[in-house]
Amino acid sequence: VHYGDIARCVTEWVAQSQLNLIETMAEQIADLLLSRFLVASVIVKVSKPGAIKNAANVSVTIERTRP
């Protein structure tokens, strides 16, 4: 898998999305990658700096495996 292709796919998808929750974004990115690339599993981490007062960053990491 070419990481440039993955980065381009995710960047284009994020530019068109209008999500408020990073959990939903991570889930949908995982689904997108599993559907478009021949990979057995994905680990997706989404971060949102400054989302919570007095916290530098908030993030969620999920792992999904092809059935």
Side-chain angles (χ1 to χ4, degrees):
V1 178
H2 189 278
Y3 290 112
D5 294 339
I6 291 173
R8 194 169 17 267
C9 177
V10 171
T11 301
E12 289 172 1
W13 182 86
V14 169
Q16 297 175 20
S17 71
Q18 295 185 358
L19 301 172
N20 292 323
L21 297 175
I22 61 173
E23 296 86 354
T24 303
M25 180 175 281
E27 288 281 351
Q28 291 185 11
I29 290 171
D31 290 344
L32 173 70
L33 296 177
L34 288 172
S35 70
R36 293 211 183 160
F37 297 94
L38 294 175
V39 294
S41 64
V42 295
I43 298 173
V44 177
K45 180 177 181 179
V46 177
S47 299
K48 189 172 182 180
I52 297 176
K53 187 177 181 178
N54 299 322
N57 186 39
V58 173
S59 67
V60 61
T61 302
I62 63 165
E63 182 173 0
R64 295 293 177 262
T65 303
R66 205 179 277 286

